[in-house]
Amino acid sequence: MAPKSTSSKNNKQYVAPNNAIIPIIGMLLVILGVLLLIAITSFLFSGAADRSIFDMSFWELLSNNNIIVQNTIGKFGAWTSDMLVTNGIGLMAFSVPIVITAIGLFILGIRRIVITRVIWNAFLITVWGSIFLGFITMRFSDSTYLLFGGLHGYYVSRWLTSWIGAVGTAIMLLSTLLIYLSLKYAAVQNKINNILESLSNKRISINWNKFNSYFQGEEENFPNDTETPAVAQPAPQPNPITDTFPQPNNNTIDDYQEEDEYTEDIQEDVSLNSINASYPPSIITPSQEEEPAVDSNENTSEEPSIDINDTTTNDDSVCNIINPNDDPSRPYDPTLDLSLYKYPPIELLVDRQNPDSEVSKAEMEENAKNITTTLKNFNISIDRIHATIGPTVTLYELVPSAGMKLSKIKSVQEDIALNLSAMSIRMIAPMPGKGTVGIEVPNKNKKVVSMYSMILSDRFQKSKYELPIALGKTITNETFVFDLAATPHLLVAGATGQGKSVGLNVILTSLLYKKHPSQVKFVIIDPKQVEFTPYEPIEKNFLAKLPGGDDAIITKIEDVKATLSSLTVEMENRYALVRKAGLRNIKEYNAKFIERKLLPTEGHRFMPYIVVIIDEFGDLIMTAGKEIETPIARIAQKARAIGIHMILATQRPDVKIITGVIKANFPSRIAFKVASMTDSRTILDETGAQHLSGKGDLLAKITGADSVTRVQCAFVDTDEVIAINNHIANQQSYACAYELPEAEVDNGVLPVEFDPEGEVPTGPGKLDPYIRKVAEMVVSSRLGSTSNIQRVFNLGYNRAGRIMDQLERMGIVGPAISSKPRTILVNDLDALETILQSFNV
């Protein structure tokens, strides 16, 4: 049976009749609302002067043309305002024109409004506000013509005071206000639950879901709008930014925000229906991965209620939750664990404009003239020159005349910089894929690339990447977006103060705007202890750590060792599940799980991506050395297929820190400005990073790209990062952080016996304890060299030779041919794993 769709129920399409009456009614309502708003405002100032006419009947006032009033909207405005303000609801009369205008805009389809909810909330606020104003102004209401609460507020407050007294009335008004705010806003609900918890030794939580339905009206769409996809229909890769911030050609930022509210309303309603139809969630922790899940049909008489508005899950002892839907014919949706989660809105980011940073035509012509003059001084002729303006630098492409040597053009790089009065320029000779020579000259006034513009860019919104990163803008002002899952690991380096930390924040912000907490987790290692503290509040939503760990951000070297060892166990556990399912990678595995072809009762679980960010990698290497490098290398070699991706950042790009093992397993690199040509070669395997202009100017070498790309990194301020994390923290979350499996710290030495000389393991036919690590390194780097094994693992020549002979006998490398490196016979790590298991390694 085909799965039933909920989209038709929750996305009813409003269709206007094929005539002009409906838009005319909408326009009339808007005009009426505006007139009433002006009339009531004018009444506040002219009401005393117009009091003499208020005793007349409406028809008498209408028929007598000699009566003159002070109200801006005339007699109609004066009489209507008196009826609404004095004889009605006081200052709360302002809600009447607001609601009328909202209805008119709704009919016209200009504003996206859940109209039933607007009317319901306006009614409650108006009634309460009128009584409140009447109560606080009751003592001096006789001394002024204006009744702040109107006759309604005046008489109701007097009646309440006569029954329960002034104190009782005040308590009742404050209580009703608190109840309303609790039903309206999740943050207030959370505060109440926290207070209740602090008054009791055990968890107390009010199930707000029983009341919230009264504040959620029926959603309605508008003429010519496309249907919003129902959230209850899960998809492997939701696109929250596209749904939240659609970009028609003429939309403004206000339109984006209204779209955001409208989408969130639909999500709340659909999520309520979906969860009420589902049975209690099955819970699977890392220690229970191979155990069958509890049968959901047992003990149906005592099903616990699911509190969807609580900020945590029902069970504090479990963190990694699997919440399958009741109907097996419907796909599994991992986002239902936190069904009310709302992605960060775009207004949390600052739209940084750069009105004074444009490169003038005169500046371009002057630079082009200086370049041409300098080349002529050295007898170098060019046919033409073309300029491309970027946010940080301007690229001047030269077409050399026939017969000119590139080496001669390269030799005058410093002279060109001198004539341009530039601190440094970068020369690209030749430009990849072009018959030109590129000279990148820093702009006098640099543009700030805001994270705001990155999030709203079409490339980011429409990207289908698993882990999309909006890094910045290229020299041609194109948004540079890449997939972290395809990199698969990233090395970031640069001198102090050149934008490295901001770049890491940009990476994290991109993922926070794009992914649901059930889809990605972060392991953040911060030896500096202060760089990533703004991310501590999202511990229960997005962070992963060891069970019982004190700090959300890992800062102590002992915790770093334990966490890296735990990640290797998580990696092996995931490979075991993928192998058990007969699949090859996490994308295939999760797709099968969503299709319910892999069941929790068989030990399977949905796997979120895990992004490991290690800042100040150089400091860790200097402190712990191989104890840190070995597990990192092992994770980098194998973990990409099962969704664990690493980002290493260092400000010391030398060969002692970025070793051959690291470079072999981190093919994607980002280089900010460095001090020397040697540092640039260490990071990128080529020069150029030493000529960058700093402040976020970087070179990106991403897997799959034809060449290095120059990018101006986006800027996200600390205040913006804090606002984003607070938005995420102040809503529904898991009971605790994503728990990694416990593991013993691996110091890189396997427990085997060695002979007295400490060179080879004892016993005939035993394999060297380093055989697995060496085999993985050889297959990953495609380099079968004994000297390379010596250098990487700090082994003697004899022992490295014996290991190479063992690899040959195992069929991993070919026989020795003179002094050439050996041929690698194994194509990938999956095939290698099969061979190693056959030898019980």
Side-chain angles (χ1 to χ4, degrees):
M1 182 182 295
K4 296 179 180 180
S5 172
T6 61
S7 61
S8 60
K9 177 180 178 181
N10 296 286
N11 295 280
K12 297 190 296 184
Q13 185 77 15
Y14 175 87
V15 180
N18 292 326
N19 52 55
I21 295 178
I22 294 299
I24 290 175
I25 293 175
M27 288 187 289
L28 290 176
L29 287 175
V30 172
I31 294 172
L32 176 62
V34 173
L35 290 176
L36 285 177
L37 184 63
I38 297 174
I40 295 172
T41 304
S42 177
F43 176 81
L44 300 181
F45 303 96
S46 62
D50 293 337
R51 291 188 66 180
S52 60
I53 69 169
F54 294 152
D55 293 333
M56 301 180 183
S57 67
F58 177 75
W59 296 111
E60 182 181 358
L61 181 66
L62 183 65
S63 59
N64 191 343
N65 295 329
N66 295 324
I67 298 176
I68 299 175
V69 297
Q70 300 297 318
N71 194 287
T72 305
I73 308 300
K75 291 186 288 185
F76 168 78
W79 186 87
T80 306
S81 300
D82 180 63
M83 293 299 297
L84 289 175
V85 178
T86 306
N87 298 320
I89 52 182
L91 295 182
M92 302 311 296
F94 279 105
S95 64
V96 175
I98 293 174
V99 171
I100 292 175
T101 304
I103 295 174
L105 295 175
F106 168 76
I107 293 175
L108 294 174
I110 296 176
R111 305 292 284 179
R112 295 180 176 271
I113 301 169
V114 184
I115 197 63
T116 53
R117 186 175 301 177
V118 170
I119 296 174
W120 175 240
N121 284 279
F123 172 76
L124 293 178
I125 294 172
T126 300
V127 172
W128 184 91
S130 174
I131 298 173
F132 174 76
L133 292 173
F135 173 70
I136 63 176
T137 61
M138 185 168 53
R139 294 181 180 273
F140 53 87
S141 58
D142 295 334
S143 62
T144 176
Y145 79 95
L146 181 63
L147 294 176
F148 289 91
L151 290 178
H152 167 265
Y154 176 75
Y155 284 118
V156 173
S157 60
R158 287 191 60 183
W159 178 78
L160 288 173
T161 304
S162 66
W163 273 92
I164 58 178
V167 175
T169 302
I171 293 174
M172 190 201 71
L173 287 172
L174 292 176
S175 300
T176 52
L177 176 63
L178 182 61
I179 291 172
Y180 173 80
L181 294 176
S182 302
L183 297 174
K184 184 70 176 172
Y185 301 105
V188 181
Q189 300 173 12
N190 302 339
K191 189 66 176 179
I192 293 176
N193 285 339
N194 292 337
I195 294 173
L196 292 176
E197 289 179 25
S198 64
L199 297 177
S200 174
N201 292 330
K202 61 182 180 179
R203 181 180 181 82
I204 299 177
S205 178
I206 298 176
N207 189 347
W208 300 100
N209 181 32
K210 295 180 180 179
F211 310 99
N212 280 352
S213 59
Y214 294 105
F215 291 85
Q216 296 182 353
E218 191 76 8
E219 287 73 20
E220 299 173 13
N221 283 342
F222 312 92
N224 302 323
D225 283 348
T226 56
E227 289 193 0
T228 304
V231 175
Q233 295 297 325
Q237 290 298 322
N239 192 345
I241 301 299
T242 304
D243 296 340
T244 308
F245 308 118
Q247 279 199 320
N249 292 334
N250 298 321
N251 273 11
T252 65
I253 287 299
D254 291 336
D255 295 329
Y256 294 134
Q257 304 314 314
E258 292 298 329
E259 177 72 10
D260 186 30
E261 293 177 358
Y262 180 69
T263 306
E264 290 168 357
D265 292 335
I266 294 179
Q267 290 178 345
E268 290 181 14
D269 189 51
V270 177
S271 300
L272 284 169
N273 295 334
S274 303
I275 292 186
N276 290 337
S278 63
Y279 59 82
S282 301
I283 309 299
I284 295 181
T285 61
S287 60
Q288 297 172 329
E289 290 174 357
E290 298 301 326
E291 297 178 5
V294 178
D295 188 357
S296 60
N297 294 323
E298 294 180 0
N299 301 324
T300 55
S301 62
E302 297 182 3
E303 290 186 353
S305 63
I306 301 176
D307 185 3
I308 64 171
N309 281 320
D310 192 6
T311 56
T312 59
T313 52
N314 291 335
D315 190 351
D316 282 335
S317 62
V318 292
C319 303
N320 306 337
I321 294 182
I322 297 296
N323 183 15
N325 300 324
D326 188 29
D327 187 358
S329 64
R330 296 167 60 184
Y332 167 72
D333 185 1
T335 63
L336 288 184
D337 292 342
L338 300 180
S339 57
L340 297 184
Y341 175 79
K342 298 178 181 179
Y343 293 88
I346 192 62
E347 66 260 23
L348 297 179
L349 297 173
V350 178
D351 183 14
R352 293 178 170 83
Q353 303 292 338
N354 300 273
D356 300 327
S357 59
E358 296 293 335
V359 178
S360 64
K361 183 177 180 182
E363 181 182 345
M364 283 192 299
E365 291 178 349
E366 180 183 359
N367 287 339
K369 180 180 178 181
N370 288 336
I371 292 173
T372 305
T373 301
T374 304
L375 294 175
K376 285 183 178 179
N377 291 339
F378 290 92
N379 297 321
I380 300 174
S381 60
I382 59 174
D383 292 338
R384 64 178 183 274
I385 184 170
H386 172 72
T388 303
I389 303 174
T392 304
V393 298
T394 299
L395 172 64
Y396 296 89
E397 293 186 61
L398 317 177
V399 179
S401 301
M404 297 304 305
K405 293 184 178 180
L406 286 180
S407 59
K408 191 173 182 180
I409 299 177
K410 289 180 180 180
S411 65
V412 298
Q413 178 174 343
E414 301 300 329
D415 298 281
I416 295 176
L418 177 63
N419 282 357
L420 293 174
S421 300
M423 294 186 63
S424 65
I425 64 172
R426 177 172 174 259
M427 183 175 289
I428 311 169
M431 292 282 291
K434 300 180 179 180
T436 59
V437 174
I439 299 177
E440 295 174 343
V441 181
N443 297 335
K444 293 181 179 179
N445 299 313
K446 299 178 181 178
K447 286 185 178 180
V448 176
V449 178
S450 66
M451 197 67 205
Y452 178 95
S453 63
M454 294 294 98
I455 298 300
L456 285 182
S457 64
D458 284 342
R459 285 198 175 185
F460 183 71
Q461 290 188 26
K462 298 177 181 179
S463 68
K464 303 300 182 182
Y465 294 150
E466 298 293 318
L467 298 174
I469 306 297
L471 188 61
K473 288 194 174 182
T474 66
I475 200 170
T476 56
N477 280 301
E478 295 179 349
T479 303
F480 186 79
V481 180
F482 68 93
D483 187 5
L484 181 62
T487 49
H489 308 291
L490 185 63
L491 177 62
V492 181
T496 303
Q498 301 304 320
K500 176 169 51 65
S501 296
V502 174
L504 295 178
N505 283 325
V506 167
I507 292 174
L508 286 167
T509 301
S510 297
L511 295 176
L512 291 177
Y513 265 91
K514 195 70 169 178
K515 308 304 289 186
H516 188 274
S518 63
Q519 297 168 332
V520 65
K521 302 294 178 183
F522 302 119
V523 175
I524 301 179
I525 298 175
D526 181 18
K528 287 195 294 190
Q529 303 184 18
V530 295
E531 199 66 56
F532 292 97
T533 50
Y535 295 94
E536 288 181 347
I538 63 171
E539 171 183 352
K540 296 180 180 180
N541 297 83
F542 279 100
L543 299 189
K545 65 177 186 179
L546 291 172
D550 296 331
D551 299 323
I553 309 299
I554 303 162
T555 58
K556 299 177 182 177
I557 189 65
E558 295 79 10
D559 294 338
V560 174
K561 297 176 186 177
T563 300
L564 292 175
S565 297
S566 177
L567 285 169
T568 61
V569 176
E570 173 75 8
M571 175 184 69
E572 297 297 344
N573 291 343
R574 290 187 171 206
Y575 264 118
L577 290 176
V578 173
R579 185 168 57 250
K580 180 180 178 181
L583 302 171
R584 298 184 61 186
N585 55 57
I586 185 175
K587 188 174 182 179
E588 296 175 358
Y589 180 91
N590 282 342
K592 293 290 184 182
F593 190 89
I594 288 173
E595 295 171 359
R596 298 191 179 277
K597 295 180 181 179
L598 302 174
L599 302 177
T601 54
E602 299 173 355
H604 294 288
R605 59 187 171 95
F606 183 84
M607 298 181 190
Y609 285 91
I610 298 178
V611 178
V612 184
I613 298 178
I614 303 178
D615 196 14
E616 297 302 334
F617 174 66
D619 181 69
L620 294 177
I621 289 294
M622 296 298 293
T623 304
K626 292 292 182 181
E627 298 178 58
I628 296 295
E629 183 180 6
T630 300
I632 287 177
R634 188 179 176 197
I635 293 170
Q637 288 168 353
K638 294 181 59 178
R640 60 182 179 274
I642 40 82
I644 301 178
H645 305 279
M646 303 193 77
I647 301 174
L648 298 186
T650 181
Q651 61 180 356
R652 300 182 56 188
D654 56 61
V655 293
K656 294 181 180 179
I657 304 301
I658 306 176
T659 62
V661 176
I662 297 299
K663 293 184 68 174
N665 293 285
F666 285 77
S668 297
R669 291 88 178 268
I670 291 177
F672 291 86
K673 183 177 176 60
V674 295
S676 66
M677 184 186 305
T678 304
D679 290 344
S680 179
R681 282 202 179 100
T682 303
I683 305 169
L684 300 172
D685 295 326
E686 61 181 80
T687 62
Q690 76 276 13
H691 293 306
L692 297 175
S693 59
K695 295 184 179 181
D697 192 13
L698 63 88
L699 295 177
K701 185 178 183 180
I702 305 300
T703 301
D706 296 332
S707 60
V708 171
T709 304
R710 189 166 187 173
V711 178
Q712 176 60 41
C713 183
F715 178 75
V716 55
D717 198 7
T718 303
D719 291 339
E720 297 171 75
V721 174
I722 292 174
I724 293 169
N725 285 288
N726 287 340
H727 169 84
I728 296 172
N730 292 331
Q731 57 179 307
Q732 191 182 23
S733 67
Y734 295 103
C736 60
Y738 183 89
E739 290 188 348
L740 298 172
E742 294 185 0
E744 296 182 359
V745 177
D746 180 12
N747 293 326
V749 179
L750 300 179
V752 297
E753 297 181 13
F754 286 84
D755 65 0
E757 297 180 1
E759 182 65 13
V760 295
T762 59
K766 284 193 175 182
L767 295 173
D768 191 283
Y770 273 91
I771 191 70
R772 171 178 281 275
K773 293 182 176 62
V774 173
E776 291 175 350
M777 186 274 293
V778 167
V779 173
S780 298
S781 62
R782 313 302 296 173
L783 181 60
S785 168
T786 302
S787 60
N788 189 46
I789 296 174
Q790 282 183 267
R791 183 172 61 256
V792 171
F793 294 97
N794 267 337
L795 302 177
Y797 179 80
N798 292 334
R799 186 175 180 185
R802 293 190 189 97
I803 293 176
M804 186 62 75
D805 292 338
Q806 292 174 358
L807 293 177
E808 180 184 349
R809 290 195 294 271
M810 295 170 70
I812 297 173
V813 300
I817 304 176
S818 184
S819 60
K820 296 180 181 179
R822 302 201 184 203
T823 305
I824 311 301
L825 303 178
V826 180
N827 293 328
D828 52 41
L829 291 175
D830 292 335
L832 174 63
E833 185 66 28
T834 303
I835 295 175
L836 294 177
Q837 288 182 1
S838 67
F839 284 89
N840 296 322
V841 177

